[in-house]
Amino acid sequence: MNATLLDTEKNYVKPQKFSFENFVCENGEVIPYVDIAYETYGTLNASKSNAILIAHAFSGDAHAAFYHEGETRAGWWDNMIGPNRAFDTNRFFIICSNVIGGCAGSTGPSSINPNTGRPYALDFPQVTIRDMVAAQKKLIEHLGIEKLYSLAGGSMGGMQVLEWLVSYPHAVLSAIPIATTARHSPQQIAFNEVGRQAIMADPKWNGGNYYGAEIPRAGLSVARMVGHITYMSEKSMAEKFGRRTKSAADSTKFHADFEVEGYLRNRGDFFVRRFDANSYLYISKAMDLFDASGGRHLSEKFFELEAKLLVLAFKSDWLYPAHQSLDIVTACKITGVPVSYVEIEANYGHDSFLVETEKQSQIVRHFLSRVDELIY
Amino acid sequence: MNATLLDTEKNYVKPQKFSFENFVCENGEVIPYVDIAYETYGTLNASKSNAILIAHAFSGDAHAAFYHEGETRAGWWDNMIGPNRAFDTNRFFIICSNVIGGCAGSTGPSSINPNTGRPYALDFPQVTIRDMVAAQKKLIEHLGIEKLYSLAGGSMGGMQVLEWLVSYPHAVLSAIPIATTARHSPQQIAFNEVGRQAIMADPKWNGGNYYGAEIPRAGLSVARMVGHITYMSEKSMAEKFGRRTKSAADSTKFHADFEVEGYLRNRGDFFVRRFDANSYLYISKAMDLFDASGGRHLSEKFFELEAKLLVLAFKSDWLYPAHQSLDIVTACKITGVPVSYVEIEANYGHDSFLVETEKQSQIVRHFLSRVDELIY
């Protein structure tokens, strides 16, 4: 996305941490001590009215934009966040935090359980999207922010956006759920379940107790490969790989004949170095259990909303198909919540929200400027 | 599909075997001794002009219809094959054989290698769709049949149909490729590759040498789960499972909360009892390597065809999307091969060719009757 920058042209950001005690999860279990890793970009204004929270997707983290010292690759949504970008850091104060249950600085199953001195593993409570959002709310309050100017996220980030609206309807002026759903379909649950089964089938997973030993590399890698297929579209795969074959240097049977096979194996191998297998189980399960509507019609949960919504979907996204976004739009229409909806033409499948920068940027920029006009 | 039948109302069939020696595979390797398991339904007429070959899909077998003695469930396409069914056994002589490389009676990686006295495992040659078809041709000749009246199959069965047309253009009067493609897209390859990786990631797979020991149950089960998701549609899953949850009898973490999870686990468990993991690797790889067009435009391979084609696709089939069937139709149009094409409305996804009986039956019956009128 970015042309090579000189170090002096880069924007830098430092990871931060916010901690609190005795977090009561939705299921009643208590986490005695919680760290939340977060980053901020831009400057909070005096009235604390220019804050935008960015919620990350399944395997994302708090590093949404800019560079860490010495880093060659910017944060995961750097194409959307920065000076004069869609989430303009010249105007807005952007916050992104790693979800509770995660493995990139926030407390999760790989964290030390203070009651035992060892990692929680499966003793960690089954956190939910609501728990993730409750932890974010504490962070926002800690920063002195009463109302978010906006709130945005794709995929599981969009679920957090919806949960914010439902849990804290008076704390949000506008919201941008992207390529997401108010609840997983059985197909989405099924894909997640296959990933979990692949991890748990790996003997090295060992009932979740692999910390300090070999990690369930093979199982986690297979899980990620399934994920990657669902994040791309048939078309983007065809354009990226075609049926091109790799060199036959590896002559063993069932090596990667096709480039797409090698690509998937590489993505799987790369992923296991940065992601905790138990976090995979917990977070994917949190997504499956999520239902913004609480099993009723979503509109019943939207009556208290004060926010304006921009709902975005992508034509080639078959994992979170547009009809799921339209369910959110319908709930807004029923309850009179102001909503704009765009189904963006982009070939990258579900990944579009991460890589399609041009149209998405224009639409988001325009929406954020309209929120401003109407509310201030 | 079938109402419960009295035993006296059932049609019975006996498994048969055809054997030959020194089969030279497409890659030049020789299999010294080959068994082909097959079944036949109906009666071959005196002129041997009423034979229809049915080619099975990835995990299918020779038992396409009727019952084996003592069996409670009929063959996999019993809803399409039988007296007065689409493939009418009152008129036609139907043949179905298990593919070479398979594990349901035909020689494959689990068969004994006569050179070692032990199962081939990965010493089995990488057979191709062309090899499968070449073995079928030997069977057809053994039965004294020069020309097939027709030839039909879905999914990998459809690939065999296309390969027959290309390899033996003068031996086929009509052909029905269903829910198939002339070559796999990278997305299709990717799904197969994930299945292979899941198997090979299971330590019990042991480089393919698990015969006589524990089988790689966990890996093969995960592979099958991925497959099942791709065989169904978002809609058929939603109708079958919704977000219904199972009883909470199993209170361990990451148990099957949702019915769809339990279903997939059951399908996986069931599959490992009947399918050989190495056959999974070989046959899925054969599908990925298949390219009826030999890397050129398919039409270039169709000039010698004497057959009429009926090409069928299903609207909800996202694994073998209709545009792949239309590529076959286009190749026919370019070369003047008579072709009918129907995209059938059915909600079952790729599985539609197995379970949607009504429309498919009507179309196939009508097509087979027209072939008859025009040719005889």
Side-chain angles (χ1 to χ4, degrees):
Chain A
M1 254 62 68
N2 298 309
T4 309
L5 295 175
L6 298 175
D7 281 356
T8 50
E9 295 170 324
K10 286 179 177 174
N11 292 301
Y12 288 94
V13 64
K14 281 203 174 108
Q16 300 183 67
K17 187 175 283 189
F18 164 60
S19 305
F20 50 89
E21 292 182 4
N22 295 321
F23 179 76
V24 183
C25 297
E26 188 177 351
N27 71 1
E29 293 183 63
V30 176
I31 307 177
Y33 190 86
V34 173
D35 285 331
I36 295 295
Y38 74 101
E39 297 189 3
T40 67
Y41 320 90
T43 310
L44 188 61
N45 62 15
S47 59
K48 300 188 173 177
S49 63
N50 69 333
I52 297 179
L53 179 69
I54 303 295
H56 69 70
F58 173 60
S59 65
D61 53 35
H63 188 30
F66 295 6
Y67 291 82
H68 292 163
E69 197 64 48
E71 216 179 27
T72 54
R73 213 181 140 174
W76 56 268
W77 227 11
D78 191 69
N79 53 12
M80 291 289 291
I81 301 166
N84 303 314
R85 300 224 162 131
F87 299 100
D88 186 352
T89 49
N90 291 333
R91 277 188 69 200
F92 298 115
F93 177 65
I94 315 287
I95 309 148
C96 183
S97 65
N98 185 219
V99 295
I100 194 167
C103 52
S106 291
T107 298
S110 59
S111 303
I112 297 298
N113 180 348
N115 296 325
T116 65
R118 286 176 294 118
Y120 281 99
L122 294 207
D123 289 335
F124 197 73
Q126 177 57 60
V127 289
T128 62
I129 301 288
R130 185 178 297 175
D131 293 329
M132 294 175 188
V133 165
Q136 288 161 359
K137 184 68 160 60
K138 285 181 187 291
L139 168 63
I140 297 304
E141 286 169 2
H142 162 74
L143 296 172
I145 298 158
E146 257 180 55
K147 276 203 184 191
L148 288 168
Y149 182 83
S150 198
L151 174 63
S155 199
M156 189 182 82
M159 296 182 184
Q160 294 164 67
V161 169
L162 295 175
E163 184 59 46
W164 259 93
L165 292 172
V166 166
S167 290
Y168 312 108
H170 309 299
V172 184
L173 286 175
S174 71
I176 312 176
I178 306 175
T180 194
T181 181
R183 52 183 185 175
H184 265 181
S185 70
Q187 190 186 63
Q188 291 164 320
I189 293 170
F191 276 119
N192 272 350
E193 170 68 1
V194 165
R196 287 189 292 267
Q197 287 293 320
I199 290 167
M200 296 191 292
D202 188 332
K204 297 202 173 80
W205 178 65
N206 188 31
N209 298 304
Y210 51 82
Y211 300 109
E214 265 194 89
I215 62 168
R217 188 179 305 275
L220 183 57
S221 176
V222 168
R224 184 57 166 181
M225 289 171 66
V226 177
H228 259 292
I229 302 175
T230 64
Y231 303 153
M232 299 178 80
S233 70
E234 192 201 359
K235 197 163 176 178
S236 67
M237 282 190 133
E239 281 169 6
K240 194 172 174 114
F241 308 111
R243 283 177 57 89
R244 280 192 307 278
T245 49
K246 297 182 61 172
S247 65
D250 176 1
S251 64
T252 58
K253 278 224 166 81
F254 308 115
H255 63 280
D257 290 297
F258 295 100
E259 277 189 17
V260 63
E261 297 174 308
Y263 172 82
L264 286 177
R265 293 187 193 183
N266 286 341
R267 299 316 300 172
D269 289 348
F270 181 74
F271 186 67
V272 299
R273 279 182 254 143
R274 71 172 182 88
F275 211 82
D276 175 56
N278 285 335
S279 274
Y280 195 109
L281 301 178
Y282 275 89
I283 300 179
S284 69
K285 184 58 100 173
M287 294 168 79
D288 291 344
L289 294 171
F290 176 64
D291 185 350
S293 68
R296 311 172 72 175
H297 195 280
L298 185 58
S299 60
E300 296 183 39
K301 292 284 192 169
F302 271 18
F303 280 106
E304 283 190 69
L305 253 59
E306 295 174 8
K308 295 177 161 49
L309 262 70
L310 169 65
V311 178
L312 297 179
F314 294 90
K315 257 208 167 84
S316 58
D317 184 351
W318 58 275
L319 184 61
Y320 289 81
H323 68 78
Q324 293 188 323
S325 285
L326 280 169
D327 287 343
I328 302 167
V329 173
T330 301
C332 290
K333 294 289 182 194
I334 289 172
T335 45
V337 171
V339 61
S340 296
Y341 170 69
V342 184
E343 187 179 341
I344 299 175
E345 286 274 4
N347 286 336
Y348 303 101
H350 188 52
D351 271 346
S352 296
F353 81 93
L354 292 170
V355 297
E356 202 293 322
T357 54
E358 204 180 319
K359 291 173 206 157
Q360 188 176 225
S361 289
Q362 280 173 7
I363 296 162
V364 167
R365 187 182 291 115
H366 181 66
F367 174 74
L368 291 175
S369 72
R370 278 173 58 222
V371 172
D372 201 41
E373 279 161 25
L374 294 169
I375 293 178
Y376 285 88
Chain B
M1 254 64 64
N2 298 310
T4 310
L5 295 177
L6 298 176
D7 281 356
T8 50
E9 296 171 322
K10 286 179 177 175
N11 293 301
Y12 289 94
V13 64
K14 280 202 175 112
Q16 300 183 66
K17 188 174 283 189
F18 165 61
S19 305
F20 50 90
E21 293 182 3
N22 295 321
F23 180 76
V24 183
C25 297
E26 187 177 353
N27 71 3
E29 293 183 63
V30 176
I31 307 177
Y33 190 86
V34 173
D35 285 332
I36 295 294
Y38 74 101
E39 299 188 3
T40 68
Y41 321 91
T43 309
L44 188 60
N45 62 15
S47 59
K48 301 189 173 177
S49 64
N50 69 335
I52 297 179
L53 179 69
I54 303 293
H56 70 70
F58 173 61
S59 64
D61 54 35
H63 187 30
F66 295 6
Y67 291 82
H68 292 164
E69 196 66 47
E71 216 178 28
T72 55
R73 213 181 140 173
W76 56 268
W77 228 11
D78 191 69
N79 52 13
M80 291 288 292
I81 301 166
N84 303 314
R85 301 224 163 132
F87 299 99
D88 186 352
T89 49
N90 292 333
R91 277 188 69 200
F92 298 115
F93 177 65
I94 316 286
I95 309 148
C96 184
S97 65
N98 184 218
V99 295
I100 192 167
C103 50
S106 291
T107 298
S110 59
S111 303
I112 298 296
N113 180 349
N115 296 325
T116 65
R118 287 177 293 120
Y120 282 99
L122 294 207
D123 289 336
F124 198 72
Q126 177 56 61
V127 289
T128 61
I129 301 288
R130 186 178 297 175
D131 292 329
M132 295 175 188
V133 164
Q136 288 160 359
K137 185 69 162 57
K138 285 182 187 290
L139 168 63
I140 297 303
E141 286 169 2
H142 162 75
L143 296 171
I145 298 158
E146 256 179 58
K147 276 204 184 189
L148 288 168
Y149 182 83
S150 199
L151 173 65
S155 199
M156 189 182 82
M159 296 181 185
Q160 294 163 66
V161 169
L162 295 176
E163 184 59 46
W164 258 92
L165 292 172
V166 166
S167 289
Y168 313 108
H170 308 299
V172 184
L173 286 175
S174 71
I176 313 176
I178 306 176
T180 194
T181 181
R183 52 182 183 174
H184 265 182
S185 70
Q187 190 185 64
Q188 291 163 321
I189 293 171
F191 276 119
N192 272 350
E193 169 68 1
V194 164
R196 287 189 291 267
Q197 286 294 319
I199 291 167
M200 296 191 291
D202 188 332
K204 297 202 175 81
W205 178 63
N206 189 29
N209 298 304
Y210 52 81
Y211 300 109
E214 265 194 89
I215 62 168
R217 186 179 306 276
L220 183 58
S221 176
V222 168
R224 184 58 167 182
M225 289 171 67
V226 177
H228 260 292
I229 303 175
T230 64
Y231 302 154
M232 300 178 79
S233 71
E234 192 200 0
K235 197 164 176 178
S236 66
M237 282 191 134
E239 280 169 6
K240 192 172 175 111
F241 309 110
R243 283 176 58 89
R244 280 192 307 277
T245 50
K246 298 183 61 171
S247 66
D250 176 2
S251 64
T252 57
K253 277 221 167 83
F254 308 115
H255 63 279
D257 290 297
F258 296 101
E259 276 188 17
V260 64
E261 296 173 311
Y263 172 82
L264 286 177
R265 292 185 193 184
N266 286 340
R267 299 316 301 173
D269 289 348
F270 181 74
F271 186 67
V272 300
R273 280 181 254 143
R274 72 171 181 90
F275 211 82
D276 175 57
N278 285 335
S279 275
Y280 195 109
L281 301 178
Y282 275 89
I283 300 178
S284 68
K285 184 57 101 174
M287 294 169 79
D288 291 344
L289 294 171
F290 176 64
D291 185 350
S293 67
R296 310 172 73 175
H297 195 281
L298 185 58
S299 61
E300 295 183 38
K301 293 283 191 171
F302 272 18
F303 279 107
E304 283 190 69
L305 252 61
E306 293 174 9
K308 295 179 162 47
L309 264 70
L310 169 65
V311 178
L312 297 179
F314 295 90
K315 256 206 171 88
S316 58
D317 184 351
W318 58 275
L319 184 62
Y320 288 79
H323 67 78
Q324 293 188 324
S325 285
L326 280 169
D327 286 344
I328 301 166
V329 174
T330 302
C332 291
K333 294 291 181 192
I334 289 173
T335 46
V337 171
V339 60
S340 296
Y341 170 69
V342 185
E343 188 179 342
I344 300 175
E345 286 274 3
N347 285 337
Y348 303 101
H350 188 54
D351 271 345
S352 297
F353 81 93
L354 293 169
V355 297
E356 203 293 322
T357 55
E358 205 181 319
K359 292 174 206 156
Q360 189 177 225
S361 288
Q362 282 174 5
I363 296 163
V364 167
R365 187 182 291 114
H366 181 67
F367 174 74
L368 290 176
S369 71
R370 278 174 57 221
V371 171
D372 202 41
E373 280 161 23
L374 294 168
I375 293 178
Y376 285 87

